[in-house]
């Protein structure tokens, strides 16, 4: 059994709560050291948690950027294929003129295309918007932090277009870019 009471001179009083082996309580120096160690531990855990949240958010932004870059390439491919089906005068009609950069979205070159969705010269102040249906476009929607630039150049004498796509965004005052590219061929 534990003896939670001490007896002295016929009087009974409670024993101190913090009592070491020597019978004395904790000193103020021991308490300060303990509180300091706990504080450093909590601050360290907060730093790790904060860094994890930032990395997770940045990874999410990179996945969105990769999707937007792939979508841009698919839209360029769709314009090329539409030229084949419509027997356009050139397989590259509508794609040339982007040597210095253009912007497009998933409605470009389709029946849904409006003036805001046309293939046009890249404007670094024009951000993609997230539409209610979950697609990114230059039309109406919620403003995002993403910009997309597509550059299309033709190899001289060859039926090949080189497509370079850069998706950029600002996160915590720092600019990030996702770059990819590919080639379109006159396979018709």
């Amino acid at each position: 059994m534990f003896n939670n009471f001490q007896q002295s001179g016929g009087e009974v009083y409670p024993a101190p709560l913090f009592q070491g082996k020597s019978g004395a309580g904790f000193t103020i120096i021991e308490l300060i050291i303990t509180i300091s160690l706990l504080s450093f531990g909590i601050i360290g855990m907060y730093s790790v948690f904060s860094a994890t949240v930032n990395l997770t958010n940045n990874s999410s932004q990179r996945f969105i950027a990769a999707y937007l870059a792939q979508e841009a390439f698919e839209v360029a491919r769709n314009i090329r294929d539409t030229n084949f089906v419509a027997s356009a005068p050139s397989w590259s009609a509508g794609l040339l003129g982007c040597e210095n950069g253009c912007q497009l979205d998933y409605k470009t070159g389709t029946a849904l295309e409006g003036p805001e969705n046309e293939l046009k010269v890249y404007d670094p102040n024009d951000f993609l918007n997230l539409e209610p249906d979950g697609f990114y476009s230059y039309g109406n929607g919620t403003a995002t932090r993403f910009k997309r630039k597509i550059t299309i150049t033709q190899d001289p004498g060859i039926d090949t277009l080189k497509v370079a796509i850069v998706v950029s965004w600002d996160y915590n005052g720092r600019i990030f870019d996702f770059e990819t590219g590919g080639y379109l061929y006159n396979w018709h």
Side-chain angles (χ1 to χ4, degrees), residues 20 45 58 60 79 89 92 103 106 134 137 147:
M45 288 188 338
N58 197 20
S60 172
I79 292 171
S92 58
Q103 61 191 39
Y106 76 100
S137 78
K147 296 185 275 188

Side-chain angles (χ1 to χ4, degrees), residues 3-178:
N3 184 1
N4 291 333
F5 296 97
Q6 291 182 348
Q7 196 170 15
S8 174
E11 294 181 25
V12 177
Y13 58 92
L17 291 177
F18 302 108
Q19 186 173 7
K21 292 181 181 179
S22 65
F26 289 118
T27 64
I28 192 76
I29 294 175
E30 290 172 326
L31 288 174
I32 289 173
I33 291 172
T34 303
I35 290 171
S36 298
L37 290 174
L38 286 173
S39 297
F40 286 128
I42 290 170
I43 289 170
M45 288 188 338
Y46 174 75
S47 297
V48 169
F49 178 74
S50 177
T52 302
V53 167
N54 282 337
L55 288 173
T56 301
N57 194 358
N58 197 20
S59 295
S60 172
Q61 304 287 326
R62 287 188 186 278
F63 280 123
I64 293 170
Y67 156 73
L68 290 170
Q70 180 63 34
E71 180 188 64
F73 191 79
E74 293 298 327
V75 169
R77 183 179 290 149
N78 184 48
I79 292 171
R80 183 220 37 205
D81 293 347
T82 301
N83 288 336
F84 290 142
V85 172
S87 298
S90 170
W91 69 277
S92 58
L95 294 173
L96 299 178
C98 289
E99 292 86 11
N100 295 321
C102 289
Q103 61 191 39
L104 50 72
D105 63 35
Y106 76 100
K107 293 179 183 177
T108 303
T110 68
L112 301 173
E113 180 180 74
E116 68 275 359
N117 310 111
E118 294 175 348
L119 186 67
K120 55 187 167 193
V121 175
Y122 174 72
D123 179 1
N125 298 316
D126 206 359
F127 291 85
L128 287 163
N129 298 319
L130 182 60
E131 294 185 344
D133 58 4
F135 290 102
Y136 289 81
S137 78
Y138 290 101
N140 295 330
T142 306
T144 68
R145 62 183 71 196
F146 295 101
K147 296 185 275 188
R148 178 170 54 196
K149 179 180 180 181
I150 182 168
T151 306
I152 303 172
T153 54
Q154 185 167 19
D155 290 339
I158 303 174
D159 285 340
T160 305
L161 295 179
K162 182 179 181 182
V163 181
I165 300 131
V166 178
V167 177
S168 54
W169 69 98
D170 182 327
Y171 180 67
N172 285 340
R174 188 170 165 209
I175 303 295
F176 291 92
D177 290 328
F178 181 87

